[in-house]
Amino acid sequence: MTQGLGGVFGIAASGMSATRLQMDVVAENLANADSTSGPNGPYQRKEVDLQAAPSGSFANALGAAGSSSDGGLGGVEVAGISTDPTPGQQVYDPSNPAANAQGYVTMPNVSPVTEMVDLITASRGYEANVQVLDAAKQMYTKTLDLLR
């Protein structure tokens, strides 16, 4: 099954939107890396869950039903934002208002190293989708030049 160049723009745009949300969540995690008190205790690290988005076209889905192609997929979509259930580290700090009776504070389960790796991965994904858009735009331009 061949996807028109118009579909390429939608797929790349969905990837850009998903990676932008990933970068926003990483920024939120880093901003709350030291938040020891909240409504449910210390801040819990959040992760973006992505899944393949079905294409909106019935013809694409029907055409892909009997083939070994992409199955009529149309990019990526956010399935949800989940919290990481990993417990936070216990730090001895009896002067902290969030300390328990033994003087330990439960810190958020946010690792700056992990967050920076996630940020780099998301930014590279965003850059890749921008390059796809640029390549598709160049192909459209070349096609229009040939038709003149």
Side-chain angles (χ1 to χ4, degrees), residues 92-140:
Y92 184 72
D93 185 6
S95 64
N96 191 315
N100 62 15
Q102 292 80 25
Y104 287 95
V105 178
T106 302
M107 298 302 290
N109 60 349
V110 177
S111 167
V113 174
T114 302
E115 297 305 320
M116 292 309 294
V117 169
D118 288 350
L119 182 62
I120 291 169
T121 302
S123 67
R124 295 273 167 88
Y126 192 89
E127 290 172 10
N129 283 300
V130 168
Q131 289 177 354
V132 167
L133 284 177
D134 287 341
K137 183 179 82 171
Q138 288 175 1
M139 285 191 274
Y140 263 140

Side-chain angles (χ1 to χ4, degrees), residues 80-102:
I81 297 176
S82 60
T83 57
D84 183 359
T86 308
Q89 182 180 4
Q90 296 284 324
V91 176
Y92 184 72
D93 185 6
S95 64
N96 191 315
N100 62 15
Q102 292 80 25

Side-chain angles (χ1 to χ4, degrees), residues 43-85:
Y43 178 81
Q44 290 289 310
R45 178 179 185 264
K46 295 180 181 176
E47 298 173 325
V48 177
D49 302 320
L50 302 176
Q51 68 183 15
S55 71
S57 167
F58 175 74
N60 286 347
L62 184 62
S67 69
S68 62
S69 66
D70 66 359
L73 301 177
V76 64
E77 65 184 10
V78 176
I81 297 176
S82 60
T83 57
D84 183 359

